[in-house]
Amino acid sequence: MKLKVCGMKYNPGEVAALQPDYLGFIFWEKSPRSFDGEIPKLPPGIKKVGVFVNASLDEVVAKIKEYHLQAVQLHGSESPEFCKELKQYNFQEPIQIIKVFSIKDDFNFDELKPYESVCDYYLFDTKGKLPGGNGYTFDWKVLKGYPSIKPYFLSGGIGLEEIESLREFMKRPEAKYCHTIDVNSRFELEPGLKNIQKLKEFKKGLMKDEINMPSSLGERPVRGPYHANEKGYYGEFGGAFIPEMLYPNTEELRQNYVRIMEEPSFKQEFDQLLKDYVGRPTPLYFADRLSEKYGAKIYLKREDLCHTGAHKVNNTIGQILMAKKLGKNRIIAETGAGQHGVATATVCALMGIECVVYMGKIDIARQAPNVARMKMLGAEVRPALSGSRTLKDATNEAIRDWINNPVDTHYIIGSVVGPHPYPDMVARFQSVISEEIKWQLKEKEGRENPDYVVACVGGGSNAAGAYYHYLDNGDVGIIAVEAAGKGIDSGESAATSALGKVGIIHGSKTLLMQTQDGQITEPYSISAGLDYPGVGPMHAHLFRSGRGEFISITDDEAMTAGLEVAKLEGIIPAIETSHAFAIFDHKKFKKDDIVVINLSGRGDKDLDTYIDYFGL
Amino acid sequence: MNRINKKLQEDGKLLSIYFTAGYPNLDDTVKIIGELEKHGVDMIEIGLPFSDPLADGPTIQESSTAALKNGMTTEILFEQLKDIRKTISIPLIIMGYFNPVLQYGVEAFCKKCMEIGIDGLILPDLPFDVYQEEYESIFKKYGLLNTFLITPQTSDERIFQIDGASEGFIYMVSSASTTGAKQGFGAEQQDYFKRIASLHLKNPQIVGFGISNSETFVQATEKAKGAIIGSAFIKHLTQNGVDSIANFIKSIRC
Ligand SMILES: Cc1ncc(COP(=O)(O)O)c(C=O)c1O
């Protein structure tokens, strides 16, 4: 969370020494804090904001030039056209425009619309006698339903006493785009003379971890015991076991991914696409009939309602933006069932970037509709002909392609697998799932934490997203559901935690199914998306450490559960997800347990399998 | 002194041959090694086949799949090689992916190599820093040289690091590619060969990937100490069997 201190007059130098992010200088003569002195040289990183009330364009321009302002805050009834003119004015450095809106008990968000494209930030202030500086707060609940993704400043009478309520506010969904806290009159000895001691205290309170800006990408890297460390290890699992030929590619990504994900412009574009293109937030739905049947409060996180029908697109949106930032002009991906291939082809079409998807020859034959989708979206589907000609071989082929094209190509991996930084990067892109669950559950149940989060695990990306913000919270039980295929001991299974041993697959040290000799074996599951011989290193660690409870579900159990959800809730789940619905015979819950099941995808792609299985 | 170091001190350019153990037939290993030494090859890389060889092109992939189908395992390979030092004196290196070594047990694997008389290992997906932190002491204990790869994309800084940590030769991957991919060397590769030569590394370099005939062998060894041929040799085995190895070697060293 950033801090702006406004109304500089007598001691701006002293305030600057506290390193706030913005200093505000009021250029409105009627204000007791009106500024006309000289601005001392400020430490780097502090932006100078000029505050104006219905000044003319010439006046504003003159002040910007005279004081080398980086931002202007418009407190009067400046029109969108005025903002636009200012925005387009040819300054040496681009100027940021903050448009102020005053709120009393109510606010019509339609007022924002004309300003969406012509200003950089909004500022919400208390409506009172004066244009700003009234000294009391407005009811921040008014911001509930904030319809925009433009970052905003929260202002109006905020003092030391507000730290607690700010902390509460920051947990709410409407605080997601709250960018800066703006303070002024409550930190003064007299108008224009700031109380340094009080400011110091406030800044300290504001910077405490809890009062962090919630964002899909997290404000700073999370480094709990169940998150990746700097080298990409989750406990003993992870790392980057790659041949030297891949070193430059992964190293470029490793050095840049956190920085890029934390850039405000990146966050904004990511959030915008998730909202407008993917359709987020996805609902958290209370499954009444399922709850009644199984005697627990069951909520479904509706990732099936994402564009393209599964959670996979959260990751591909993130990675395509990452690829653009890295200046790549060609995308490769692997796919098993075709879900990730379609999600990748989709974002490549969206961005107009060349796309090659590797897919096992055998999968191409059994997933014809998704092959056709990828082609319609303009992607080239290349058959993987080596080895067992399924997902693991498609992944090998994609890696080989990357070795051969180290400079211009980005590899969009489809799950939390592969060499560091992929597992961590993909988990962060998917973490929007649990971020939303937190506030949605708070709205519905008055608490952020369910008793259990349940997800199916192939490579583990939908699960990683659903667990992410709960990993370090021991009150929340983590249940991972794997595919047992025809049974753990049948020789036809994909239950990696039960059958796997520590080894290296696709550049990551993790649990994988292999022969005694270290040859990777071919898994089996009725669901193509769970048909992977390994599991992401995060999940290997959750299993080994006991933090996660792992349950394996057979083809038959999954299919039966999928049909039941269709009949009880009117939702046909992807067969991957159906595995997660089959846990109730294996795990008993208490009546008031809140259980969130991540509904990772919809079943349209699986209709043929359902038809064959049930003879529909 | 390790056989590899001794060989590197000899005059002339070194020809090293890679083959996949267990291919074309499960029991060809000893015969192939014998033929290669007999016809003047300087060093041999014995490929331990892996199900998912992600740095390899189609030729080595197919030979690995076939070798595994023939029944090759780490245990069997060691069994085949147990008396190899009774007849063979040139350096022998085992080249493979890390996972089979990890499953055998890194220390047990290294110990077995020493007992047989293997001189070194090349494990492309065992990263340099992990090797240094976890395994270097084990390799040293059993007198094994570990060889690292560099590519045209490897930074000078990293090359110097790798050079510092190496005690035999540096495996110079000729271009950004999987094995067997390129036909001949263009200006870009020549520049890369010159650039590396100008770094005056302490370890000699041996070039691999994309060397298929006498012409590319000569180009690759203009600056470097030697070159490794893999895919082209395996193709030759596929087409002509193990009895015409002499012809292949003659065609390179004409
Ligand atoms: C709907 C759905 N759920 C789950 C998965 C499994 O992948 P992950 O474990 O990475 O979420 C897939 C993969 O294709 C999928 O399509």
Side-chain angles (χ1 to χ4, degrees):
Chain A
M1 183 56 56
K2 297 192 188 305
L3 175 65
K4 170 169 172 270
V5 184
C6 204
M8 291 300 111
K9 192 171 171 83
Y10 300 115
N11 56 349
E14 266 188 292
V15 177
L18 300 176
Q19 280 288 343
D21 304 280
Y22 299 90
L23 285 186
F25 298 88
I26 298 175
F27 299 108
W28 183 54
E29 282 170 14
K30 291 182 196 152
S31 167
R33 302 174 185 87
S34 176
F35 185 81
D36 59 5
E38 256 183 53
I39 300 180
K41 193 166 162 38
L42 302 178
I46 301 181
K47 289 199 167 84
K48 284 172 280 189
V49 185
V51 181
F52 300 89
V53 182
N54 294 328
S56 72
L57 190 70
D58 288 345
E59 277 174 74
V60 176
V61 168
K63 292 288 187 221
I64 290 173
K65 290 187 172 163
E66 181 182 348
Y67 290 105
H68 302 286
L69 304 175
Q70 284 100 5
V72 296
Q73 179 176 324
L74 304 174
H75 247 277
S77 49
E78 295 84 0
S79 66
E81 291 71 34
F82 181 89
C83 298
K84 193 169 175 186
E85 262 186 88
L86 193 57
K87 189 91 208 150
Q88 288 172 347
Y89 197 94
N90 204 2
F91 296 108
Q92 258 176 351
E93 275 182 71
I95 190 94
Q96 293 185 330
I97 298 180
I98 305 165
K99 182 68 187 89
V100 180
F101 297 87
S102 300
I103 297 183
K104 199 161 170 226
D105 304 321
D106 206 359
F107 184 67
N108 180 0
F109 287 110
D110 288 344
E111 282 184 39
L112 302 177
K113 272 189 197 145
Y115 292 92
E116 276 286 307
S117 60
V118 293
C119 70
D120 301 285
Y121 300 96
Y122 299 134
L123 184 148
F124 297 111
D125 188 20
T126 311
K127 195 176 219 155
K129 286 199 299 291
L130 306 166
N134 287 292
Y136 50 93
T137 62
F138 68 94
D139 183 358
W140 301 330
K141 282 208 190 78
V142 173
L143 292 174
K144 200 173 156 187
Y146 180 63
S148 173
I149 61 162
K150 198 171 281 303
Y152 64 82
F153 289 44
L154 186 68
S155 183
I158 295 172
L160 260 184
E161 294 76 9
E162 269 69 39
I163 283 275
E164 269 318 305
S165 42
L166 272 174
R167 189 163 288 152
E168 273 310 301
F169 174 72
M170 286 309 152
K171 291 182 188 156
R172 306 190 53 81
E174 58 267 28
K176 175 165 177 177
Y177 297 103
C178 181
H179 177 268
T180 298
I181 304 293
D182 182 29
V183 300
N184 184 354
S185 62
R186 301 275 304 277
F187 293 88
E188 292 186 324
L189 301 164
E190 62 175 82
L193 180 63
K194 299 297 173 206
N195 184 331
I196 301 300
Q197 203 47 45
K198 267 188 157 184
L199 276 173
K200 225 185 238 173
E201 233 173 285
F202 184 75
K203 191 177 176 217
K204 213 168 115 202
L206 196 63
M207 293 305 153
K208 270 205 183 158
D209 275 347
E210 299 95 299
I211 203 157
N212 229 335
M213 170 163 65
S215 154
S216 318
L217 301 177
E219 177 73 339
R220 63 184 69 158
V222 185
R223 296 281 187 224
Y226 301 102
H227 294 90
N229 70 15
E230 314 79 72
K231 289 186 161 182
Y233 279 91
Y234 298 81
E236 66 176 298
F237 302 105
F241 290 80
I242 45 164
E244 189 64 28
M245 291 81 97
L246 278 178
Y247 182 82
N249 312 33
T250 52
E251 185 61 11
E252 179 184 28
L253 202 55
R254 189 190 68 75
Q255 282 179 5
N256 293 298
Y257 82 109
V258 172
R259 177 183 60 74
I260 290 175
M261 286 170 100
E262 288 180 352
E263 279 172 16
S265 65
F266 184 90
K267 282 187 193 179
Q268 189 176 345
E269 205 176 348
F270 181 65
D271 287 347
Q272 178 108 48
L273 283 169
L274 288 188
K275 179 169 179 271
D276 297 340
Y277 189 71
V278 174
R280 300 204 76 91
T282 60
L284 182 70
Y285 160 71
F286 178 67
D288 207 348
R289 299 186 67 201
L290 211 54
S291 297
E292 179 160 349
K293 170 146 195 197
Y294 289 110
K297 287 175 139 179
I298 301 170
Y299 282 90
L300 309 183
K301 181 59 176 159
R302 298 290 308 274
E303 294 301 296
D304 59 317
L305 296 178
C306 288
H307 178 44
T308 71
H311 68 290
K312 296 279 176 191
V313 73
N314 301 327
N315 170 43
T316 58
I317 291 273
Q319 285 205 48
I320 197 82
L321 295 177
M322 180 70 63
K324 273 176 55 178
K325 287 271 181 191
L326 293 172
K328 308 289 175 177
N329 56 25
R330 179 174 177 270
I331 295 296
I332 53 172
E334 85 295 338
T335 195
Q339 285 307 102
H340 173 60
V342 168
T344 304
T346 298
V347 296
C348 286
L350 179 69
M351 298 292 169
I353 294 183
E354 181 189 347
C355 178
V356 175
V357 180
Y358 288 91
M359 190 169 185
K361 184 101 198 275
I362 291 178
D363 290 333
I364 289 181
R366 59 184 183 184
Q367 304 288 342
N370 272 345
V371 176
R373 280 186 191 106
M374 288 184 267
K375 287 185 179 162
M376 277 189 77
L377 293 162
E380 181 193 343
V381 181
R382 284 194 197 158
L385 304 169
S386 62
S388 49
R389 291 169 293 159
T390 57
L391 176 58
K392 90 177 164 68
D393 309 284
T395 308
N396 292 338
E397 283 308 326
I399 291 174
R400 288 177 189 126
D401 181 311
W402 211 21
I403 287 175
N404 283 284
N405 298 284
V407 180
D408 66 339
T409 297
H410 175 73
Y411 175 22
I412 299 189
I413 291 188
S415 192
V416 287
V417 300
H420 179 57
Y422 277 105
D424 186 42
M425 179 171 73
V426 176
R428 285 170 188 241
F429 286 137
Q430 292 290 2
S431 71
V432 63
I433 299 173
S434 51
E435 182 207 316
E436 288 175 5
I437 296 174
K438 277 179 104 166
W439 62 259
Q440 289 172 323
L441 201 61
K442 176 99 184 183
E443 265 183 9
K444 294 195 153 61
E445 292 282 345
R447 56 189 255 205
E448 289 183 344
N449 301 334
D451 295 290
Y452 296 93
V453 193
V454 183
C456 65
V457 174
S461 64
N462 89 85
Y467 304 157
Y468 195 88
H469 291 286
Y470 297 119
L471 285 168
D472 298 327
N473 181 345
D475 294 342
V476 180
I478 282 176
I479 298 179
V481 186
E482 292 182 317
K486 297 190 174 158
I488 297 268
D489 302 318
S490 66
E492 291 182 73
S493 176
T496 310
S497 70
L499 299 168
K501 282 188 300 177
V502 181
I504 312 265
I505 181 170
H506 299 136
S508 179
K509 189 175 201 180
T510 187
L511 293 171
L512 62 128
M513 293 165 57
Q514 50 185 319
T515 65
Q516 204 181 341
D517 214 33
Q519 309 296 342
I520 299 172
T521 52
E522 198 45 33
Y524 163 81
S525 163
I526 193 167
S527 114
L530 303 184
D531 205 352
Y532 184 68
V535 68
M538 174 199 281
H539 302 289
H541 182 48
L542 290 175
F543 175 71
R544 266 294 161 86
S545 64
R547 173 70 182 95
E549 186 175 346
F550 282 65
I551 296 174
S552 34
I553 295 298
T554 63
D555 289 357
D556 291 339
E557 291 173 309
M559 296 303 276
T560 307
L563 188 62
E564 183 178 80
V565 174
K567 295 248 154 77
L568 284 181
E569 297 293 345
I571 298 169
I572 300 174
I575 297 176
E576 290 81 8
T577 319
S578 295
H579 285 72
F581 283 111
I583 57 167
F584 296 101
D585 287 341
H586 298 261
K587 171 87 190 168
K588 294 288 169 239
F589 298 99
K590 294 201 285 291
K591 204 166 169 346
D592 53 2
D593 276 347
I594 296 178
V595 179
V596 175
I597 298 180
N598 196 34
L599 213 173
S600 59
R602 61 173 178 245
D604 306 34
K605 69 181 176 69
D606 295 318
L607 269 193
D608 281 345
T609 314
Y610 280 125
I611 289 169
D612 286 350
Y613 188 89
F614 291 112
L616 300 169
Chain B
M1 190 192 263
N2 187 297
R3 289 183 199 90
I4 297 171
N5 295 116
K6 241 183 262 168
K7 183 57 89 180
L8 290 166
Q9 287 175 2
E10 288 177 11
D11 288 340
K13 302 296 182 181
L14 304 183
L15 171 62
S16 184
I17 295 285
Y18 168 95
F19 74 99
T20 306
Y23 181 83
N25 304 296
L26 180 62
D27 293 323
D28 286 337
T29 313
V30 174
K31 177 157 188 195
I32 291 173
I33 293 172
E35 287 291 302
L36 289 173
E37 180 173 83
K38 186 168 138 201
H39 295 103
V41 165
D42 297 296
M43 194 152 69
I44 298 174
E45 270 118 64
I46 305 165
L48 177 62
F50 182 50
S51 54
D52 295 75
L54 44 77
D56 285 301
T59 306
I60 294 180
Q61 286 170 40
E62 281 159 24
S63 68
S64 303
T65 306
L68 293 172
K69 249 196 207 126
N70 290 342
M72 183 49 87
T73 64
T74 311
E75 204 69 69
I76 290 176
L77 178 62
F78 283 146
E79 185 59 30
Q80 291 175 345
L81 294 176
K82 75 175 188 298
D83 294 325
I84 199 76
R85 283 301 172 198
K86 290 190 176 147
T87 51
I88 300 295
S89 59
I90 60 173
L92 297 175
I93 293 172
I94 290 185
M95 180 160 184
Y97 289 81
F98 188 45
N99 196 47
V101 179
L102 197 60
Q103 299 315 314
Y104 195 90
V106 176
E107 174 131 24
F109 192 95
C110 291
K111 183 162 181 280
K112 199 82 192 177
C113 285
M114 181 201 69
E115 286 164 13
I116 289 168
I118 298 294
D119 304 292
L121 298 177
I122 304 176
L123 304 168
D125 62 342
L126 171 58
F128 175 63
D129 52 332
V130 177
Y131 168 74
Q132 285 199 314
E133 275 165 38
E134 293 181 42
Y135 301 116
E136 186 167 15
S137 57
I138 301 174
F139 277 54
K140 293 223 155 123
K141 182 168 158 196
Y142 297 102
L144 294 169
L145 292 186
N146 188 27
T147 297
F148 301 105
L149 278 54
I150 62 171
T151 80
Q153 269 71 42
T154 311
S155 66
D156 285 359
E157 186 193 348
R158 191 166 163 87
I159 291 174
F160 286 125
Q161 240 179 348
I162 287 172
D163 188 40
S166 302
E167 291 173 1
F169 63 93
I170 287 175
Y171 193 132
M172 209 173 131
V173 176
S174 64
S175 55
S177 72
T178 45
T179 52
K182 294 272 174 356
Q183 288 283 329
F185 295 128
E188 214 176 306
Q189 270 85 39
Q190 307 282 9
D191 286 348
Y192 163 59
F193 295 159
K194 278 185 209 145
R195 176 167 76 86
I196 301 302
S198 74
L199 296 178
H200 300 291
L201 303 177
K202 86 175 163 66
N203 293 278
Q205 303 97 53
I206 299 196
V207 181
F209 288 42
I211 296 148
S212 56
N213 51 28
S214 69
E215 187 193 341
T216 42
F217 180 78
V218 170
Q219 284 177 336
T221 54
E222 197 180 317
K223 306 269 183 219
K225 179 67 187 165
I228 303 167
I229 299 180
S231 298
F233 178 67
I234 288 169
K235 269 191 198 139
H236 182 86
L237 287 180
T238 306
Q239 283 158 11
N240 308 292
V242 290
D243 293 321
S244 73
I245 288 176
N247 293 337
F248 182 80
I249 305 303
K250 269 183 219 145
S251 78
I252 306 295
R253 283 239 158 121
C254 48

